[in-house]
Amino acid sequence: MDDRAPDDAAGALLARLQAGDSIPAVTSVLEIPAMPKRVGSWPSWAPTEVRQALAGIGIQELYPHQSEAADDLWHARHVALATGTASGKSIAYLLPAMSAMCDAPPGREPTLLYISPTKALARDQLRRMEELHFPALRCAAYDGDSPPEERRWARRHANVVVTNPDMLHRGILPRHEAWVAFLRRLRFVVVDEFHTYRGVLGSHLAAVLRRLRRVAEHYGAQPTFLGASATIADPGMTLSQMIGVPAKGITHDQAARGRTTLAIWQPRARSWPHSGPGPPAKASLISETSELLAQLVGQGVRTLAFVRSRRAAEVVAARTQRILDDRAPHLSERVASYRSGYLPEERRELEVRLRDGLLLGLAATSALELGIDVAGVDAVLIAGWPGTRASLRQRMGRAGRGLQPSLAIFIPDDDPLDSFLASHPEQILAESEGIVLDPDNPYVLAGHLCAAAAEIPINEEDATCWFGPEAPGLLETLQERGFLRRRRAAWFWVRPQRPADLVDIRGSNAEPVSVIEEDTARLIASVDAGAADRTVHEGAVYTHQGADHLIVGYSPEDCVAMARRTALPYSTQALTDSETRIRRVEDSQDWGAVGVRFGTVEVNSTVVGFLKRRQRTGEVIGREPLDMARHTLTTRAVWWEIPSEVLEAADIEAMDVGGAAHGAEHAAIGMLPLLAQCDRWDIGGLSTERHPDTGHCTIFVYDGQAGGAGFARRGYLSAQKWLTSTVQAVASCPCESGCPSCIQSPKCGNGNEPLDKAAAIRLLNAVLASAPR
Ligand SMILES: [Zn+2]
Ligand SMILES: [Zn+2]
């Protein structure tokens, strides 16, 4: 293969994109080398008819990672396969499953349960299995879209069922008696894209999978699990945490692929209002992305642009079309947007149009990131850091056809993590973050213990064995609260409703707030209950589909906010009054005089008012008080206790301590996603000059979910690494006194005041200097 020409192709394309600009926009170029073809051996246990069926869909050879994982699964070893996009992970479970089905008498075949994070991906897998035309495979989908007759058929006749965690939790497990035929023969369970179950969702999935293992064992089955994921650190450990038994990890991706060039594109004229703090100027990221997409489409380059929100996907597509209307009107209809929320038929049509080359440009959200079959575009734009390296690699993996080289462009947004990565490009392709989950979170476990007790009454030994050492204590508590009743040795569910209906595995149990348009009574959006006080309080400016709405009424009790559509010259930012009390220190290290702690805290907060900021400049033009309810969150936190002698030695005067600690807190929150797969909205923080419980200046960073999500703990365990990158990010930011790329935060409840960049750097350096070497 000629290696030069492909390189030149990506380079030439980049050069063309930059033509005419005096300051180059590309600040670094990274290369991911091509992977030559390697071939694994076919396992001796695979019957000829299975190999023939796979040959029928073009699989003549196996990659080494496929043979290894297939062999593990066949021999009942739980295995986590963490390799790239289009590395053929499904063959690793189809090969042993089809082989096992061939061996068995008809009607007595072993069964396979496939669990996917999204309905779309599950349906895609189902379609691919059907394309095998393998008589022993009887596949069915069991999800919210399946009609009753299909569900009945699935329960009685299918030996492969594709579903999602929600259906497993609400549909299959509570009605396990109806699934006896399937569960009794359950030999394989596939958890696809398991890197997406992070934080509290991961803790829920862990509980659901333990319930599944328990119910299966009740029917005499002990299934083997295969977890498939994007490249993450230590996949075997993560899968073990999810299923509760040891699993092996396979991370050597040996799928053949062409070279990928990753360019970091730093827009030139990213002007930020220097007149003071304010919400970040997101518009420039969107316009830069639209411009690049238009240029690539204009050159006939098939391109996917990944953006962070549904709305951004629509705006980028619309702007790109508008740019093309001027330059190349015949191309503008070959650009579209793709996001979750579209109907399955709409999505399928977009996928097909893209594959066939009818579409040249597609602006997409992460909905397109998971295993859906659209590999094979020429270039990928990644607008804003996707949150994790695993996700970046998934998106990059969408570019490139076979062994052809491909181009990916990362366009950083205005926030600490994006800026840090843009100036430390070697970090971008470093080892992926680990998945953080906490299977012992009592807030998560309680509901699942009720569900498990309703499925099959649970005794103490059972509880410890399946749900860990905390479970028996929780059962006692649930009995005291009247959810469970103990009879002889076991606990029973005694309430009329189904416990599975009380647990929402997607997160908060609180009902979201509906935002209703006043004139039309139309529902325009729903806002997460936890964020509603901050975003749809009376007087808030709420932007929806690019249009400003003034919130004219908000009733938290009824979960409703009324919005009036009107153009306003300002945006709003909520002000909160928060305090943190330490409930229990669970782990502790001393860095010289500085204390680093992990434990349980109680965060009390109230929205006390809001600022009005002039659009564009961010200048504060008004301040209004609000009288709202106080909320208490009991969660896990990591914190630093910094005595005054450390601050004095670092030349931080008493009046600057608040601004130093506040700046360090914001930056640390912005950087935690580098270590744990979370985003800055999953965590919160608080800093005080002198905290009543510690007597010192204290900086807290806490999990945003009751009971904790594991992120703060990960921060505690990697505290030194975390603060080191935090201080680097702040110190390397070219701004003078703080900006959204370093110490300002878009969710600050104090209007980003006080903040002192220079003192924050001195504080972080002083804390790090006390750390053990
Ligand atoms: Zn800055
Ligand atoms: Zn703040």
Side-chain angles (χ1 to χ4, degrees), residues 733 735 738-739 741-742 757:
C733 187
C735 73
C739 71
S741 293
C742 57
K757 181 178 171 182

Side-chain angles (χ1 to χ4, degrees), residues 749-761:
N750 292 308
N752 278 310
E753 276 170 24
L755 285 178
D756 185 333
K757 181 178 171 182
I761 295 172

Side-chain angles (χ1 to χ4, degrees), residues 24 84 134 138 178 257 268 302 381 391 401 406 489 507 509 530 566 601 636 647 704 742:
F134 191 67
R138 293 188 307 276
R257 59 175 301 122
R268 302 140 298 259
R302 228 185 278 182
L381 302 177
S391 187
R401 262 170 285 188
S406 58
N509 288 324
T566 165
V601 298
R636 296 291 194 9
L647 297 166
C742 57

Side-chain angles (χ1 to χ4, degrees), residues 249-387:
I250 298 179
T251 51
H252 296 295
D253 186 344
Q254 283 159 324
R257 59 175 301 122
R259 176 186 301 242
T260 308
T261 301
L262 173 66
I264 299 167
W265 186 278
Q266 298 251 55
R268 302 140 298 259
R270 184 71 68 83
S271 65
W272 166 250
H274 288 283
S275 54
K282 292 258 190 260
S284 46
L285 178 68
I286 297 229
S287 51
E288 195 72 25
T289 308
S290 314
E291 175 60 37
L292 272 174
L293 183 57
Q295 287 198 36
L296 287 161
V297 169
Q299 297 180 28
V301 180
R302 228 185 278 182
T303 309
L304 266 177
F306 281 106
V307 296
R308 280 171 167 170
S309 67
R310 291 171 170 208
R311 192 174 113 61
E314 286 174 2
V315 175
V316 166
R319 284 202 190 187
T320 305
Q321 286 171 335
R322 229 177 300 143
I323 299 170
L324 288 169
D325 279 339
D326 290 342
R327 295 183 201 159
H330 63 288
L331 290 177
S332 96
E333 62 183 29
R334 297 177 69 182
V335 173
S337 65
Y338 182 109
R339 57 167 175 81
S340 58
Y342 284 175
L343 298 173
E345 309 85 72
E346 293 176 302
R347 268 200 319 251
R348 289 276 302 135
E349 194 206 317
L350 285 170
E351 286 162 25
V352 170
R353 283 174 65 203
L354 185 69
R355 216 174 307 158
D356 297 348
L358 294 171
L359 269 184
L360 280 175
L362 192 60
T365 60
S366 60
L368 200 67
E369 185 181 314
L370 302 180
I372 304 196
D373 192 16
V374 289
V377 298
D378 303 305
V380 166
L381 302 177
I382 299 159
W385 181 245

Side-chain angles (χ1 to χ4, degrees), residues 424-755:
H424 299 79
E426 74 287 351
Q427 286 279 338
I428 291 182
L429 299 178
E431 198 202 7
S432 287
E433 308 80 356
I435 304 282
V436 171
L437 67 143
D438 172 13
D440 298 323
N441 179 334
Y443 289 81
V444 170
L445 213 45
H448 290 284
L449 282 174
C450 291
E455 281 147 18
I456 303 159
I458 190 165
N459 62 35
E460 193 169 322
E461 194 190 334
D462 221 13
T464 315
C465 144
W466 296 108
F467 300 99
E470 308 286 325
L474 269 171
L475 287 168
E476 297 282 358
T477 313
L478 289 164
Q479 178 178 335
E480 282 159 25
R481 298 205 181 149
F483 288 99
L484 299 178
R485 187 177 299 154
R486 190 170 186 163
R487 259 180 263 142
R488 294 209 198 93
W491 282 271
F492 292 76
W493 173 253
V494 289
R495 297 226 173 158
Q497 65 277 64
R498 295 188 342 155
D501 293 338
L502 304 177
V503 182
D504 177 1
I505 65 171
R506 298 279 160 186
S508 84
N509 288 324
E511 196 182 327
V513 170
S514 303
V515 184
I516 311 273
E517 198 168 56
E518 193 187 36
D519 292 346
T520 59
R522 196 169 57 97
L523 172 73
I524 57 170
S526 66
V527 177
D528 188 53
D533 279 9
R534 284 201 310 271
T535 49
V536 291
H537 56 77
E538 209 161 321
V541 176
Y542 184 80
T543 308
H544 178 72
Q545 305 272 8
D548 282 347
H549 291 78
L550 179 68
I551 302 295
V552 292
Y554 169 47
S555 164
E557 301 77 42
D558 305 323
C559 303
V560 168
M562 298 304 288
R564 181 179 304 158
R565 190 167 169 163
T566 165
L568 292 158
Y570 62 90
S571 62
T572 54
Q573 186 178 18
L575 296 170
T576 46
D577 178 28
S578 304
E579 55 157 32
T580 304
R581 299 312 301 256
I582 297 167
R583 288 284 161 251
R584 195 169 67 221
V585 177
E586 287 156 44
D587 212 339
S588 168
Q589 352 171 350
D590 287 321
W591 294 2
V594 175
V596 186
R597 318 276 182 244
F598 170 78
T600 300
V601 298
E602 200 177 279
V603 182
N604 290 290
S605 57
T606 322
V607 173
V608 292
F610 63 97
L611 297 177
K612 293 179 177 172
R613 289 182 183 279
R614 197 187 298 286
Q615 291 203 2
R616 292 182 207 291
T617 65
E619 181 197 349
V620 176
I621 53 171
R623 187 187 194 105
E624 307 277 340
L626 286 170
D627 183 17
M628 312 221 349
R630 196 158 189 80
H631 297 284
T632 301
L633 172 73
T634 303
T635 185
R636 296 291 194 9
V638 49
W639 67 93
W640 283 267
E641 302 171 4
I642 311 153
S644 51
E645 65 263 27
V646 174
L647 297 166
E648 278 159 28
D651 237 4
I652 302 170
E653 299 201 21
M655 60 180 292
D656 300 331
V657 172
H662 192 198
E665 171 219 319
H666 281 183
I669 291 175
M671 295 303 284
L672 187 54
L674 194 64
L675 305 169
Q677 292 215 342
C678 59
D679 80 38
R680 69 188 297 164
W681 303 93
D682 294 332
I683 39 186
L686 200 120
S687 50
T688 51
E689 289 167 52
R690 184 178 289 274
H691 192 274
D693 294 335
T694 68
H696 302 301
C697 165
T698 308
I699 300 174
F700 293 89
V701 174
Y702 57 83
D703 289 329
Q705 294 272 358
F711 304 129
R713 177 155 187 84
R714 180 59 60 102
Y716 172 80
L717 293 174
S718 319
Q720 222 166 316
K721 198 172 159 195
W722 176 23
L723 288 198
T724 305
S725 28
T726 302
V727 73
Q728 283 173 356
V730 182
S732 65
C733 187
C735 73
E736 203 171 304
S737 56
C739 71
S741 293
C742 57
I743 57 171
Q744 290 181 5
S745 162
K747 54 179 280 198
C748 181
N750 292 308
N752 278 310
E753 276 170 24
L755 285 178

